[in-house]
Structure formats: C-alpha cells, structure tokens
Amino acid sequence: MNARSGKRVVHFLLHVPKCAGTTVEDHFTHYLGAGGFRVAPRWKSVFRDMVGNRYPGIDLAGVKAVSGHSLSRSLARHLPEAEIRESVLLRDPVGYFLSFYNYRWTRYRKGFGPEPPPFETWYQRQRLNPISRFLLVRYFEQGMPALYRFSSARRLDWLEKRLAGFHFVGSYQRADEMIATISRELGIPETVEAHNVTADKHLRAEDLPDKLRNRVLRENAVDVALFERWGDRGWSGRPTAPPPALPRLDQPRYVLDDMFTGFSKI
C-alpha cells in the first residue's frame, strides 16, 4: 500500500533472460508465496508475437509482485486501481551471450539438446540486440510487423523514454540491492540467495578473442548503449551522458537478421 496515495502497490519485475531473473523470482516466491507472487502466464495463441501477451481470466487478487518472461505492460489493465512499480535488470551483450552459450552447454551435459557448436558459429544464429528486442517485443508488446519500424536509434530512444519512469533500472550485478529494497517495501526478509548460477562455464570472458568480442559489441550497439547508460541508474533519474550515434535507417537489417536466425533454427 502506498502510504501517500492509499493505493495498492504491485511490483512488475521484468525477467530479461540471463539477467538474474531466476534469483529475483525464487526470492519473492519463497517469501510471498503463490498468493502474493505470480509468474505471468504465457498466452498460447498464434497472435502472441503480433499483438503481445494477453491474460484472459487471470486472477490477481492479493498479488504484490509479478515477474516472468511473459510479463507485459498490458497486465496493468487487470490492476486498474493499483500503482504499478516497474523494475528491470540489464546486462552487457558480451556477458549475455556468454551466459546464454554456457547455459546451452549445461543443458547438453545434462542430456537436454544437441551439443552446441563453437561460440562464433552459435553466435551467428542469435538475434541482434536481444535485450532491447526482448523489452520491445515481450514487455512493451511491439510485435511483428510493427517492430520493424524501429531503427537502432529509435529502439534506444523509445526504450529510454519509458525506462525513465521505472522504479528501478540497473545492472544484473545490482540484483541483491534491488531485491532487498523492494523486500523492505513489501515488509518481507531482505536476505538474498543466488539461484541459477553455475561455476561450470564452458567458455569464459577471458577466453573470447578480442576480434570476436569487438564484433559482438559492434553488432549489438543498442544493447551496449542501454547497459552503459542505464546500468548505474538505480532508483531515480536518467542518464546524463549523451546517447551514441546509432543508425536511423537500418530497419531492413533487423528484418534480414530475423529471417536468417529464424531459418537457421529450423
């Protein structure tokens, strides 16, 4: 409850892949239980990637926090009387891709899925700027084909205008800080236990050749800018440094990239 407005407060905790989301979800599941914490369900419809996730028949009575890969902003329509506080953890693209690649190796060693190819081959099959793309498509519901009206420059600008109103934005390395503060707001224990973290890393950052590292940074410049400008933002304000000069007419690049990565996974 917001003491000033008297409104019920519900936290939207965006679960960007490979950004400590499992640690966040396990903490609030443990201390809030099924009645107070909910993982947003996936809408099993062919229209999901066009219009975004939907939540027919969802019951949010008593819920204090929501997370999950299928959480989208439209869930707020089911909470018309609540104050929604949005929080998100971000990651640099090199760290993101390495974590995702090592996750694939972990699954392979456990008997799930084929053996991953060398990192460079695997990386070529991944979508460009996956973190900003995830936010646009999953949370802000900018589905296909509407997504392709966004150039690199517009993706960053559009997201930054909306992140400015978030409760918390920061690096995944600030997960404990975010969890502890929101826990205090909810009146639950602040102690955080890390989850989904493994020391079994097939490839480490120091093993990545400089040429390949620079390629990842160059080809994912939107996610680089998002992390560098917002990783230290925290609880209020917005970046003060000027944004980078990103392309303003590169929409076809994203169309071709999605086509290539889509066919490569068939």
Side-chain angles (χ1 to χ4, degrees):
M1 185 72 70
N2 186 321
R4 292 184 178 180
S5 66
K7 279 188 174 184
R8 168 190 177 191
V9 173
V10 178
H11 289 270
F12 279 14
L13 309 172
L14 282 61
H15 186 166
V16 178
K18 316 314 297 176
C19 292
T22 301
T23 297
V24 174
E25 290 183 0
D26 285 356
H27 176 86
F28 290 104
T29 296
H30 179 73
Y31 288 112
L32 292 176
F37 178 76
R38 190 77 54 85
V39 173
R42 175 173 180 165
W43 184 38
K44 297 178 181 179
S45 169
V46 296
F47 298 107
R48 179 174 183 257
D49 289 335
M50 290 182 278
V51 300
N53 209 51
R54 294 294 183 268
Y55 307 96
I58 192 169
D59 180 11
L60 297 174
V63 168
K64 297 179 179 179
V66 187
S67 187
H69 291 316
S70 292
L71 174 61
S72 64
R73 213 174 206 186
S74 65
L75 184 63
R77 299 171 193 161
H78 296 267
L79 297 158
E81 304 302 321
E83 175 188 330
I84 306 300
R85 295 182 181 174
E86 302 160 301
S87 298
V88 64
L89 296 167
L90 305 172
R91 191 167 191 165
D92 66 286
V94 173
Y96 168 88
F97 283 116
L98 281 172
S99 179
F100 195 10
Y101 182 68
N102 285 323
Y103 167 74
R104 291 301 184 197
W105 269 98
T106 298
R107 287 186 57 80
Y108 164 68
R109 287 168 177 153
K110 291 181 177 179
F112 302 104
E115 180 178 348
F119 178 82
E120 186 169 8
T121 303
W122 173 87
Y123 166 71
Q124 290 174 174
R125 301 173 185 173
Q126 308 308 307
R127 288 192 171 99
L128 298 173
N129 294 298
I131 292 176
S132 51
R133 188 184 194 279
F134 181 90
L135 292 174
L136 284 164
V137 175
R138 289 289 181 87
Y139 187 67
F140 291 109
E141 300 176 307
Q142 301 299 303
M144 278 65 76
L147 176 68
Y148 300 126
R149 74 183 189 274
F150 289 91
S151 65
S152 291
R154 192 177 179 212
R155 288 179 185 222
L156 180 63
D157 181 64
W158 196 93
L159 286 171
E160 290 197 326
K161 288 177 180 176
R162 285 150 183 82
L163 292 178
F166 270 44
H167 191 46
F168 177 92
V169 184
S171 165
Y172 75 104
Q173 294 174 318
R174 298 179 66 174
D176 288 5
E177 173 194 346
M178 186 192 83
I179 293 170
T181 300
I182 293 175
S183 294
R184 284 197 297 274
E185 294 177 14
L186 294 173
I188 61 176
E190 302 171 23
T191 304
V192 181
E193 183 177 341
H195 293 270
N196 201 29
V197 178
T198 176
D200 180 22
K201 298 186 186 301
H202 181 81
L203 184 66
R204 297 181 180 275
E206 55 268 27
D207 301 325
L208 202 64
D210 289 342
K211 183 178 179 180
L212 185 51
R213 180 193 306 276
N214 292 335
R215 176 186 171 186
V216 172
L217 295 174
R218 182 179 67 255
E219 293 180 344
N220 297 276
V222 179
D223 283 2
V224 170
L226 201 64
F227 182 75
E228 289 182 348
R229 286 168 53 75
W230 291 85
D232 291 324
R233 184 265 202 172
W235 300 100
S236 62
R238 56 185 306 164
T240 56
L246 296 174
R248 296 188 174 278
L249 295 172
D250 63 343
Q251 293 92 331
R253 176 183 179 228
Y254 286 104
V255 177
L256 293 173
D257 177 67
D258 276 0
M259 291 175 60
F260 173 77
T261 54
F263 284 127
S264 69
K265 295 175 182 178
I266 294 176

